[in-house]
Amino acid sequence: MLRKGIAAAPGIVIGRAVVKKEETIQYERRTVETTSAELDRFRDSVKAADRDLESIKEKARREMGEEEARIFEAHQLFLQDPEFVGAIEAKIESERINAEAALEEVRDSFVAIFESMDNEYMRERAADLRDVSQRLLKKLLGILDRLEADFSEPVILVVHDLTPSDTAQLDKEKVKGFVTNIGGRTSHSAIMARTMEIPAVVGMSDITEQLQTGDLIIVDGLEGEVHVRPDQAVIQAYEAKQQAYLQQKEEWARLVQEATVTADGHRVELAANIGNPHDAVQALKNGAEGIGLFRTEFLYMGRDQFPSEEEQFEAYKAVAETMGKDRPVIIRTLDIGGDKELSYLSLPKELNPFLGCRAIRLCLDRVDLFKTQLRALLRASAYGNVKIMYPMIATLSELRKANSILAEAKAELLSQNIPFHNELEVGIMIEVPAAAMIADQLAKEADFFSIGTNDLIQYAMAADRMNEQVSYLYDPYHPAILRLIHQVIKAAHQEGKWVGMCGEMAGEELAIPILLGLGLDEFSMSATSILRARHLLKKLDYASLKEVAQHVLSLESGEEIKAYIKETVLDTL
Ligand code: PEP
Ligand code: MG
């Protein structure tokens, strides 16, 4: 039987399932005689949960990186939060009830508040709060963590849901793949599975009901498919597919040290998008020739105050040093707002946050924050090939204002005798259609462009990038998008400036030949896509793709364009 889900992490694995159904934890709400004893019991469980989280956090930091470790730091913060913990304690005392009941009632009211907010970040906090409350509840009831059980042989885990803490605790040697009922491609556990390179398929609705522990299954994390109790012929076909994938990965791995040059000798650059200094190490291992986008907002998240200049300097310097003197490191200034919020920065509620005060708009309004970051960036430029990039630029005057604050930051450092690279390049993201339309003017004053298709598509098509119902409009291959990209590249080249792309589109197999043909100079993508892209680029012929790209610009729909590229380029390689 073949079941379809969402491909969360690539790879193929064949093995026995261990099925863990959704747990219902049973206890009764009861009144307690002595509230002080109940409070002690609750505080002990908080301490025990905190100890667990400390060790999970350290494991996550060692094996995955800073960003993943922060998730557990956020869980620990809930355990220290006087509003959350205090509300539970107050309930135990005032209502004289057991800690389990007080915990669940307080959790439900907090979760309801978080979930009612029209904001992805706050909804994720609700998931975190559920996760940490579940841990506390188990501590109170003396239940062992369900994944603490040791598997005697490697298995494929089939579960209702995997929380981030479950995922971080997985032993890669024992858990060869996982499948879940719920979750999406961008859920925390899916992101972690990709980092850990454990094949995974998520969002399979009732897979835990379809399977028994011991069933043989095949998880195809490339296609997002699960074969349940496959016959011998299917197993053989998948063994071959698995071999082919492993061989392909080996072949790609040989390209780690190679330059990215097309079959006819045209050089382009393959860079990585990162969110923290640890990602830079992974980027290098995956053959990145530079960092095309460092999303610095992650440094600002999962904490309760702004990072200081010193903290930021250390993070930026670490990336610059990891990448060495020559490899470019493009650091984007704070892109907060839209779906990315900071708990400690209270912003007025907006009807359309993606069209509101975000990114450079916010930074130009909060010059104090902006200058702190610019100083840190400038200081880091003394340690490597650092470039600065402003997000969401829509007008020339925004670019000029940002540059004048940068000039002030430089003057300050100069007067303080603090070293920095005075000639560092300063570029902008092209992700607002208005910027694409005035690219010729912007190109005179920016040192480079990086096209942010994730946003450019949603703004150009008037289709929210998170709204399923209009996802048919969110199409990177729509002729309007390709024409905008073409216009931006042409305008930059006319001024002798280079153009990159750091939106997800840059790593897509069908897009790469078009972008190359349009003259894109740098492709920046998630680290795990780099070698595959290099493998493809080395087989492509730049001269003939220039013509292909021109023809593409005359086609009438995304479907037509994709079919044309597949037939005339990819299928002929
Ligand atoms: C983009 O918009 O394409 C981009 C790279 O930025 P982000 O996804 O962080 O908005
Ligand atoms: Mg963007």
Side-chain angles (χ1 to χ4, degrees), residues 332 335 340 358 392 429 431 452 454-455 465:
R332 177 173 78 180
D335 182 3
K340 293 178 263 188
R358 62 174 284 208
M392 288 282 293
M429 288 197 64
E431 50 186 341
N454 303 347
D455 278 317
R465 75 197 230 190

Side-chain angles (χ1 to χ4, degrees), residues 314-327:
E314 288 300 336
Y316 307 148
K317 174 173 160 236
V319 176
E321 287 183 336
T322 300
M323 298 309 287
K325 280 268 169 245
D326 297 322
R327 289 189 197 85

Side-chain angles (χ1 to χ4, degrees), residues 479-500:
I481 304 299
L482 297 178
R483 288 179 188 195
L484 282 171
I485 294 170
H486 172 58
Q487 180 167 330
V488 170
I489 297 175
K490 217 167 56 175
H493 286 177
Q494 246 153 28
E495 292 298 329
K497 307 291 167 70
W498 63 268
V499 189

